[in-house]
PDB file of all heavy atoms in Angstrom:
ATOM      1  N   GLN A 193      34.505  19.706  -7.556  1.00 94.00           N
ATOM      2  CA  GLN A 193      33.079  20.032  -7.678  1.00 94.00           C
ATOM      3  C   GLN A 193      32.811  20.957  -8.854  1.00 94.00           C
ATOM      4  O   GLN A 193      31.789  20.855  -9.516  1.00 94.00           O
ATOM      5  CB  GLN A 193      32.594  20.668  -6.382  1.00 94.00           C
ATOM      6  CG  GLN A 193      31.103  20.914  -6.315  1.00 94.00           C
ATOM      7  CD  GLN A 193      30.685  21.482  -4.990  1.00 94.00           C
ATOM      8  OE1 GLN A 193      31.454  22.165  -4.289  1.00 94.00           O
ATOM      9  NE2 GLN A 193      29.444  21.233  -4.597  1.00 94.00           N
ATOM     10  N   ARG A 194      33.765  21.840  -9.136  1.00 96.00           N
ATOM     11  CA  ARG A 194      33.568  22.791 -10.227  1.00 96.00           C
ATOM     12  C   ARG A 194      33.875  22.184 -11.588  1.00 96.00           C
ATOM     13  O   ARG A 194      33.179  22.452 -12.576  1.00 96.00           O
ATOM     14  CB  ARG A 194      34.481  24.010 -10.016  1.00 96.00           C
ATOM     15  CG  ARG A 194      34.107  24.866  -8.799  1.00 96.00           C
ATOM     16  CD  ARG A 194      35.215  25.838  -8.470  1.00 96.00           C
ATOM     17  NE  ARG A 194      34.900  26.634  -7.301  1.00 96.00           N
ATOM     18  CZ  ARG A 194      34.415  27.858  -7.324  1.00 96.00           C
ATOM     19  NH1 ARG A 194      34.178  28.453  -8.479  1.00 96.00           N
ATOM     20  NH2 ARG A 194      34.151  28.523  -6.207  1.00 96.00           N
ATOM     21  N   LEU A 195      34.930  21.354 -11.671  1.00 97.00           N
ATOM     22  CA  LEU A 195      35.407  20.893 -12.952  1.00 97.00           C
ATOM     23  C   LEU A 195      34.814  19.554 -13.399  1.00 97.00           C
ATOM     24  O   LEU A 195      34.518  19.362 -14.590  1.00 97.00           O
ATOM     25  CB  LEU A 195      36.929  20.770 -12.926  1.00 97.00           C
ATOM     26  CG  LEU A 195      37.720  22.074 -12.916  1.00 97.00           C
ATOM     27  CD1 LEU A 195      39.219  21.772 -12.812  1.00 97.00           C
ATOM     28  CD2 LEU A 195      37.442  22.892 -14.165  1.00 97.00           C
ATOM     29  N   GLU A 196      34.670  18.631 -12.481  1.00 97.00           N
ATOM     30  CA  GLU A 196      34.303  17.279 -12.868  1.00 97.00           C
ATOM     31  C   GLU A 196      32.977  17.195 -13.642  1.00 97.00           C
ATOM     32  O   GLU A 196      32.884  16.434 -14.635  1.00 97.00           O
ATOM     33  CB  GLU A 196      34.280  16.359 -11.658  1.00 97.00           C
ATOM     34  CG  GLU A 196      34.228  14.894 -12.016  1.00 97.00           C
ATOM     35  CD  GLU A 196      34.483  14.009 -10.814  1.00 97.00           C
ATOM     36  OE1 GLU A 196      33.772  14.164  -9.804  1.00 97.00           O
ATOM     37  OE2 GLU A 196      35.382  13.167 -10.887  1.00 97.00           O
ATOM     38  N   PRO A 197      31.950  17.952 -13.276  1.00 97.00           N
ATOM     39  CA  PRO A 197      30.715  17.874 -14.060  1.00 97.00           C
ATOM     40  C   PRO A 197      30.927  18.266 -15.535  1.00 97.00           C
ATOM     41  O   PRO A 197      30.327  17.663 -16.424  1.00 97.00           O
ATOM     42  CB  PRO A 197      29.772  18.867 -13.357  1.00 97.00           C
ATOM     43  CG  PRO A 197      30.257  18.880 -11.935  1.00 97.00           C
ATOM     44  CD  PRO A 197      31.760  18.772 -12.056  1.00 97.00           C
ATOM     45  N   LEU A 198      31.780  19.241 -15.783  1.00 97.00           N
ATOM     46  CA  LEU A 198      32.065  19.638 -17.159  1.00 97.00           C
ATOM     47  C   LEU A 198      32.871  18.560 -17.878  1.00 97.00           C
ATOM     48  O   LEU A 198      32.616  18.265 -19.059  1.00 97.00           O
ATOM     49  CB  LEU A 198      32.843  20.955 -17.184  1.00 97.00           C
ATOM     50  CG  LEU A 198      32.087  22.183 -16.679  1.00 97.00           C
ATOM     51  CD1 LEU A 198      32.990  23.413 -16.730  1.00 97.00           C
ATOM     52  CD2 LEU A 198      30.819  22.419 -17.487  1.00 97.00           C
ATOM     53  N   PHE A 199      33.844  17.959 -17.179  1.00 98.00           N
ATOM     54  CA  PHE A 199      34.627  16.876 -17.781  1.00 98.00           C
ATOM     55  C   PHE A 199      33.708  15.742 -18.217  1.00 98.00           C
ATOM     56  O   PHE A 199      33.873  15.177 -19.306  1.00 98.00           O
ATOM     57  CB  PHE A 199      35.660  16.354 -16.803  1.00 98.00           C
ATOM     58  CG  PHE A 199      36.749  17.334 -16.427  1.00 98.00           C
ATOM     59  CD1 PHE A 199      37.585  17.081 -15.335  1.00 98.00           C
ATOM     60  CD2 PHE A 199      36.954  18.492 -17.157  1.00 98.00           C
ATOM     61  CE1 PHE A 199      38.598  17.960 -15.020  1.00 98.00           C
ATOM     62  CE2 PHE A 199      37.960  19.382 -16.825  1.00 98.00           C
ATOM     63  CZ  PHE A 199      38.793  19.109 -15.746  1.00 98.00           C
ATOM     64  N   GLN A 200      32.771  15.372 -17.342  1.00 96.00           N
ATOM     65  CA  GLN A 200      31.867  14.264 -17.640  1.00 96.00           C
ATOM     66  C   GLN A 200      30.893  14.636 -18.760  1.00 96.00           C
ATOM     67  O   GLN A 200      30.656  13.851 -19.669  1.00 96.00           O
ATOM     68  CB  GLN A 200      31.077  13.882 -16.387  1.00 96.00           C
ATOM     69  CG  GLN A 200      31.929  13.239 -15.303  1.00 96.00           C
ATOM     70  CD  GLN A 200      31.072  12.884 -14.097  1.00 96.00           C
ATOM     71  OE1 GLN A 200      31.167  13.476 -13.041  1.00 96.00           O
ATOM     72  NE2 GLN A 200      30.218  11.899 -14.250  1.00 96.00           N
ATOM     73  N   LYS A 201      30.332  15.831 -18.683  1.00 96.00           N
ATOM     74  CA  LYS A 201      29.304  16.234 -19.629  1.00 96.00           C
ATOM     75  C   LYS A 201      29.841  16.308 -21.054  1.00 96.00           C
ATOM     76  O   LYS A 201      29.142  15.924 -22.012  1.00 96.00           O
ATOM     77  CB  LYS A 201      28.733  17.590 -19.226  1.00 96.00           C
ATOM     78  CG  LYS A 201      27.611  18.084 -20.111  1.00 96.00           C
ATOM     79  CD  LYS A 201      27.049  19.414 -19.590  1.00 96.00           C
ATOM     80  CE  LYS A 201      25.916  19.923 -20.473  1.00 96.00           C
ATOM     81  NZ  LYS A 201      25.345  21.195 -19.962  1.00 96.00           N
ATOM     82  N   TYR A 202      31.089  16.769 -21.211  1.00 96.00           N
ATOM     83  CA  TYR A 202      31.608  17.019 -22.555  1.00 96.00           C
ATOM     84  C   TYR A 202      32.692  16.031 -22.984  1.00 96.00           C
ATOM     85  O   TYR A 202      33.419  16.272 -23.938  1.00 96.00           O
ATOM     86  CB  TYR A 202      32.108  18.454 -22.641  1.00 96.00           C
ATOM     87  CG  TYR A 202      30.983  19.460 -22.472  1.00 96.00           C
ATOM     88  CD1 TYR A 202      30.866  20.207 -21.312  1.00 96.00           C
ATOM     89  CD2 TYR A 202      30.025  19.616 -23.469  1.00 96.00           C
ATOM     90  CE1 TYR A 202      29.827  21.117 -21.140  1.00 96.00           C
ATOM     91  CE2 TYR A 202      28.981  20.516 -23.305  1.00 96.00           C
ATOM     92  CZ  TYR A 202      28.876  21.256 -22.140  1.00 96.00           C
ATOM     93  OH  TYR A 202      27.835  22.129 -21.996  1.00 96.00           O
ATOM     94  N   GLY A 203      32.791  14.918 -22.287  1.00 95.00           N
ATOM     95  CA  GLY A 203      33.630  13.841 -22.764  1.00 95.00           C
ATOM     96  C   GLY A 203      35.129  14.067 -22.708  1.00 95.00           C
ATOM     97  O   GLY A 203      35.848  13.701 -23.637  1.00 95.00           O
TER      98      GLY A 203
END
Side-chain angles (χ1 to χ4, degrees):
Q193 186 177 27
R194 293 167 182 262
L195 289 177
E196 193 169 54
L198 294 179
F199 293 166
Q200 291 180 250
K201 183 177 180 179
Y202 296 108

